[in-house]
Amino acid sequence: MSALTIRNLTKTYANGVRALKGIDLNVERGDFFALLGPNGAGKSTTIGVISSLVNKSGGDVSIFGYSLDTERSLAKKQIGVVPQEFNFNQFEKVFDIVVTQAGFYGIPAPLAKERAEKYLRQLGLWEKRDKASRTLSGGMKRRLMIARALVHEPELLILDEPTAGVDIELRRSMWDFLTRLNGEGKTIILTTHYLEEAESLCRNIAIIDHGTIVENTDMRSLLGKLQVETFILDLARPVTESPRLEGFEVTLKDAKTLEVEVPKTRSLNALFVALAEQDFEVMSMRNKANRLEELFVRLVEQNLPGEQTS
Amino acid sequence: MSAREQWVAFLTIVTKEIRRFTRIWPQTLLPPAITMTLYFVIFGNLIGSRIGHMGGFDYMQYIVPGLIMMSVIQNSYGNVVSSFFSTKFQHSIEEMLVSPMPAHVILNGFVVGGMVRGMLVGLIVSLLSLFFTHLTMQHVLITVTVVVLTASLFALGGFINAIFANKFDDISIVPTFILTPLTYLGGVFYSIDLLPEFWRAVSLANPIVYMVNAFRYGVLGVSDVNVYASMAAICAFVVAFYLFALWLLRRGTGIRH
């Protein structure tokens, strides 16, 4: 069964802006799904409609088979939402925020408190339970929103930019937490600007731009579409001009650094053989940009109609 | 949501509201107690002793029911308008909108929260008044019914105000420019029978006149207007305001794109 099915979803705001122009999306149960797009592409509107914060103009949304139009209550019970902006009462205590959210789902106080403790502990916030939420750091506030979204134990967790403004160590621990949740069977949909995050965590991906889905496929197939990969090579000795290498585009960035575009049809072995023949010794090598980032930029710039594969 | 789940959700909102206004008691419970004490001292003791009797009672006794109602009106309205608007302003309304709670549970929760504060302040003011005068309740059922209806009506009014409010200024316009004048001109400090015929007729268009008089009838047994007609009118307003607020909430006015 699909965790989320969206059919021909449209949204036109009161000011006439067409944020969604008929998108179709399918997310399977247990998936770890990335929804990417530039600012203003329609990601947050899509999440807003799914989480009932935005009224749609047309189309259908169903969550685990429950229609948002006709089985709203059942559909909403399946979702936990972690929004982009902090949206809890800044004056309430951490523990009260989580317990109150459980109450909104009809969970009796004793069970709500039990679950609040469980998730606050898992997210490293138990020691802060009696603090007013406004006193937490940015990373803690974000974890609080995750605990709040999980307290009614939804099957589908939607996270809108969950690691924005979070330091690297915390981001890694949040990735581990989300991976563990997904391993336990929770379906996760993620929007992020950190494409490394999407590439590391997600199995399937949709790219949205100008209110339409421009790509919707699995991560492996998407990365397979990358025609050229760019590498930065650090040389052992300084050079004055870039080497001429058949089949590769080479730019001399500085005396000891080369930037090389390697087509998918050529192997790295061929590159190193060619460099060795011209007496270039390479000390280290790295990707110029994240692979997904290269694809993302290309797709969004071209806004090509993507092949709908799932 | 099952009925039991809805009940839990409703109690959650009410508890949250009570926790909110008791946490900030110096802003919510203390000021009306001080203000009303000043009214009792100045209008009741100092000026009232020179006015003499009104409606067959000491001036102090006459104004106490009106002052209690004034507290109930201002606080039930003020609680909901500020709480719901803050919820909108901080976007924590989204916590409720993503949940499966039906609109009527959200509305009932906020309205009952406002009623509790209105009636609690009314109780505080009533107890304070006992330091200044002797009060007996002539019609307990009418007194309680009028307080409950009035508190619910103004809590609903506060809710509607908060739905349409876009900035903090918008939540003080109605209390300052409509509610306070209507309350002061609603027969709190005088019997409308003292007014010239024209102004008496004008006063009858003020809904607060009916609430104050119905409550005064419950406490003192005297009223300038027909008590049962007043209660029927308040009930009609409560139903109309409730349906309007529910329609706005379901539609997502002011809270959903």
Side-chain angles (χ1 to χ4, degrees):
Chain A
M1 178 191 279
S2 295
L4 172 70
T5 309
I6 295 177
R7 291 283 168 266
N8 197 26
L9 184 63
T10 58
K11 173 64 189 176
T12 305
Y13 285 103
N15 59 6
V17 172
R18 290 179 68 206
L20 299 176
K21 298 170 184 167
I23 67 166
D24 295 298
L25 204 59
N26 196 59
V27 178
E28 290 300 322
R29 179 191 282 267
D31 201 355
F32 207 137
F33 191 92
L35 182 62
L36 305 184
N39 289 333
K43 302 188 299 288
S44 293
T45 300
T46 306
I47 289 178
V49 171
I50 298 167
S51 53
S52 306
L53 298 176
V54 175
N55 292 331
K56 63 186 165 71
S57 303
D60 297 303
V61 177
S62 59
I63 296 138
F64 290 99
Y66 299 117
S67 164
L68 257 188
D69 291 328
T70 56
E71 297 155 297
R72 200 172 183 81
S73 175
L74 286 168
K76 286 168 113 181
K77 278 186 182 177
Q78 316 299 320
I79 321 172
V81 182
V82 181
Q84 197 172 335
E85 306 288 340
F86 302 130
N87 68 344
F88 41 75
N89 187 323
Q90 300 284 319
F91 299 97
E92 280 206 72
K93 291 178 185 170
V94 168
F95 189 68
D96 290 342
I97 287 172
V98 183
V99 172
T100 298
Q101 186 67 18
F104 294 159
Y105 285 80
I107 298 168
L111 181 58
K113 287 176 181 172
E114 199 178 293
R115 289 208 190 149
E117 179 175 349
K118 172 182 163 188
Y119 289 108
L120 288 175
R121 280 190 190 282
Q122 284 186 11
L123 285 149
L125 289 171
W126 182 242
E127 302 305 317
K128 302 283 181 186
R129 63 188 178 280
D130 291 326
K131 301 281 181 200
S133 61
R134 68 178 184 281
T135 64
L136 301 182
S137 67
M140 286 176 180
K141 285 177 180 170
R142 223 157 266 288
R143 281 182 282 155
L144 170 58
M145 292 203 296
I146 296 177
R148 187 186 61 181
L150 288 171
V151 75
H152 63 285
E153 307 207 320
E155 287 300 313
L156 170 62
L157 184 64
I158 301 174
L159 303 107
D160 197 0
E161 308 274 350
T163 52
V166 169
D167 67 45
I168 294 168
E169 192 185 347
L170 194 56
R171 191 184 308 162
R172 295 277 169 187
S173 76
M174 279 172 72
W175 288 6
D176 289 343
F177 181 74
L178 294 176
T179 306
R180 203 162 61 242
L181 273 183
N182 182 241
E184 288 166 6
K186 289 234 189 301
T187 310
I188 298 179
I189 298 176
L190 181 83
T191 78
T192 180
H193 275 130
Y194 299 110
L195 298 180
E196 180 200 358
E197 187 166 85
E199 191 178 341
S200 319
L201 296 174
C202 302
R203 287 189 287 279
N204 291 296
I205 185 168
I207 296 178
I208 185 169
D209 190 31
H210 293 108
T212 54
I213 301 283
V214 296
E215 187 63 75
N216 183 1
T217 182
D218 63 276
M219 192 67 76
R220 190 187 294 265
S221 307
L222 183 66
L223 293 172
K225 289 185 179 181
L226 201 60
Q227 296 304 312
V228 176
E229 214 166 340
T230 308
F231 294 95
I232 304 291
L233 308 182
D234 297 314
L235 303 176
R237 294 177 297 278
V239 295
T240 51
E241 57 183 59
S242 63
R244 292 177 183 281
L245 304 175
E246 186 82 17
F248 301 98
E249 191 73 40
V250 186
T251 313
L252 183 66
K253 302 302 286 183
D254 61 49
K256 289 180 78 173
T257 312
L258 292 180
E259 184 179 303
V260 185
E261 285 188 4
V262 181
K264 275 282 179 191
T265 51
R266 303 297 303 273
S267 73
L268 285 173
N269 286 10
L271 169 68
F272 285 113
V273 167
L275 282 167
E277 280 172 356
Q278 297 186 35
D279 201 28
F280 281 81
E281 192 179 350
V282 178
M283 299 304 289
S284 63
M285 181 178 86
R286 62 184 185 279
N287 271 84
K288 183 187 179 189
N290 174 274
R291 294 180 301 164
L292 184 57
E293 192 170 314
E294 281 188 30
L295 256 172
F296 176 79
V297 170
R298 194 167 307 159
L299 280 165
V300 168
E301 277 178 355
Q302 295 170 354
N303 199 356
L304 295 171
E307 188 186 351
Q308 305 280 312
T309 57
S310 61
Chain B
M1 265 184 127
S2 67
R4 186 177 152 69
E5 286 171 331
Q6 289 188 28
W7 176 246
V8 171
F10 163 75
L11 288 181
T12 302
I13 300 179
V14 175
T15 309
K16 185 172 182 283
E17 286 302 290
I18 294 172
R19 198 167 59 220
R20 188 192 78 88
F21 76 71
T22 49
R23 185 178 61 220
I24 52 171
W25 63 270
Q27 295 172 48
T28 53
L29 304 179
L30 192 58
I34 293 173
T35 309
M36 290 305 152
T37 304
L38 290 171
Y39 276 122
F40 293 144
V41 171
I42 296 166
F43 289 98
N45 272 3
L46 300 178
I47 299 174
S49 59
R50 291 164 185 258
I51 292 174
H53 284 74
M54 192 168 290
F57 293 90
D58 287 349
Y59 186 64
M60 172 67 101
Q61 276 183 308
Y62 188 82
I63 65 169
V64 163
L67 290 174
I68 294 169
M69 279 309 262
M70 195 160 114
S71 312
V72 172
I73 288 170
Q74 288 175 344
N75 283 278
S76 47
Y77 191 95
N79 194 72
V80 183
V81 77
S82 60
S83 176
F84 193 72
F85 181 71
S86 298
T87 306
K88 262 175 66 173
F89 188 77
Q90 297 189 64
H91 297 285
S92 55
I93 183 75
E94 292 174 5
E95 293 176 332
M96 295 180 209
L97 297 180
V98 300
S99 79
M101 264 193 299
H104 70 264
V105 173
I106 298 176
L107 179 60
N108 294 349
F110 274 97
V111 168
V112 170
M115 289 169 67
V116 171
R117 174 167 150 198
M119 292 190 288
L120 182 60
V121 171
L123 181 66
I124 292 170
V125 173
S126 304
L127 294 174
L128 283 171
S129 72
L130 297 178
F131 289 100
F132 299 90
T133 187
H134 174 71
L135 276 185
T136 50
M137 213 174 281
Q138 300 299 318
H139 308 282
V140 177
L141 191 60
I142 288 177
T143 308
V144 173
T145 308
V146 171
V147 169
V148 170
L149 286 174
T150 305
S152 62
L153 178 60
F154 284 93
L156 284 162
F159 192 89
I160 293 167
N161 186 172
I163 277 191
F164 286 111
N166 292 317
K167 50 189 190 299
F168 277 99
D169 289 348
D170 297 341
I171 65 170
S172 61
I173 288 173
V174 174
T176 307
F177 296 105
I178 299 175
L179 220 51
T180 304
L182 285 182
T183 310
Y184 278 80
L185 297 171
V188 172
F189 296 103
Y190 55 86
S191 163
I192 61 167
D193 289 340
L194 297 175
L195 298 173
E197 193 50 40
F198 174 77
W199 290 111
R200 188 181 185 281
V202 170
S203 293
L204 289 174
N206 178 358
I208 293 179
V209 165
Y210 298 92
M211 297 168 203
V212 168
N213 274 282
F215 187 70
R216 185 174 282 138
Y217 178 80
V219 178
L220 301 178
V222 295
S223 171
D224 297 339
V225 295
N226 182 308
V227 173
Y228 297 103
S230 300
M231 287 171 63
I234 303 169
C235 277
F237 272 111
V238 168
V239 172
F241 274 40
Y242 185 86
L243 294 176
F244 184 51
L246 192 59
W247 179 74
L248 290 171
L249 195 55
R250 283 192 177 142
R251 212 170 151 259
T253 304
I255 51 175
R256 276 198 190 103
H257 290 292

